[in-house]
Amino acid sequence: MNERLFSNIVSASMRTVETAEVGLLRPVSAEILEKIKKKNGLYVICGLRGVGKTTLLAKLLGSIEKSIYLSGDIIVRYGGDLLDLLHHAEKMGYSTFLIDEIHAIPSWEKDIKIFYDETHHRTVITGSSAVALRARGSELSRRTMLFVLEPLSFREYLYFKTNRLFEKIKIEDILDRKKLPIIVKQIAPFIDEFWFYTKKNGLPAAYFENNQGVYLNIVERIVRYDLQSLHEIDAAYISTAFKVIKFIATSSPGEVSYSGLAKSLNTNTRFIEKMVHLLSYAGLFYIVPPEGRGHKAIRKEDKILMPLSFRSALCDSYGVQPSIGGVREDFFIQHVKTAKYLKTGVERRTPDFLVGEYIFEVGGESKGWAQLKGLNNAYLVKESLLFQEKELPIYPFGFLY
């Protein structure tokens, strides 16, 4: 291994990780940190850019002796060979290896498998797509412990704002009419933060940098770099991806469909559906599947939403107002990952979500009951602290993780 090349890669990687250090770690990141510190192993940390993967590696770097940090992006930029770098670092006495954004490196899974099987050193890798890392690293699956870092929850955002860690709750707690008033009473003093959170602070990176440009930079990197680890792309593909993102970000959720996108972009539906799924693998979209089985399910289209606060940041950059209903649904789906899109057969702009046996309709303070008429176990989720029978405030759903 060329010593100068090794030094250049390590030096450039260190400049990257030093900028990611923050004073307060996400509670979930602190839990992952302690699990990794306890014993050697092969660990995979997945999550959208900006959720705190590099920050977590920075904490590990500072708390584990003989550890080294390497950036996948830097390794590719300098033309380094991952396996050679790891072997060289081991010869220099390092025994914990932290490799960030590993999906940028072609055939990374082969090098990691060889190195870990040879050494069994503590090895931690991160990447933006849990799906891609699982697929590419299928041979590593029995060796690895996988962690997924989600975007910031409302509960975690309030922790950063107030240094107060609220307890996680369950949907059953929100539906319990005895527990709900107690939960709402705890949350009530902080609801003024709701829109600051949803519009600007959905990612730790944006919160700590106080900069909405973080979201635009992440979109650029996902489209121009991360997609390459999932699909062969060219200039035309990149251009179409940006158009798809703009269409979805500036539309109300009920206006978005694969067929509608394909018609607007003069391409075929299957191509658009595949592209949207690839962007979801990179973390930029939430795809909510339709409820149903067999023929009934496959004839319906998915619902496409976005992690907070991408919709708002992108709309600001386009000079348009984001759909308020879209932001509310982004919030709901970000916190309720098991939801399905329920289509009752009645024409309406805003569909319902099905979670287990319960139906939730998300809306503003003035939202009415017309769309839920005749449905059992149906609740109106409103942006309000005042709630009647079968109505729920939206805020407690931000405390599910």
Side-chain angles (χ1 to χ4, degrees), residues 61 68 87 140 166 169 171 189 209 263 279 303-304 363 378:
L61 185 66
I68 185 171
H87 280 148
L140 301 172
F166 291 86
I169 61 177
I171 284 185
E209 294 182 28
K263 185 176 180 180
L279 288 167
K303 187 162 192 174
I304 307 164

Side-chain angles (χ1 to χ4, degrees), residues 199 212 215-216 245-252 306 309-324 327 330:
K199 288 188 174 183
Q212 276 196 297
Y215 300 100
L216 307 183
I245 292 165
K246 183 175 183 179
F247 187 106
I248 293 172
T250 57
S251 302
S252 297
M306 305 189 78
S309 306
F310 281 91
R311 187 185 301 273
S312 296
L314 286 164
C315 283
D316 283 351
S317 74
Y318 302 138
V320 300
Q321 289 294 317
S323 161
I324 294 176
V327 174
D330 290 343

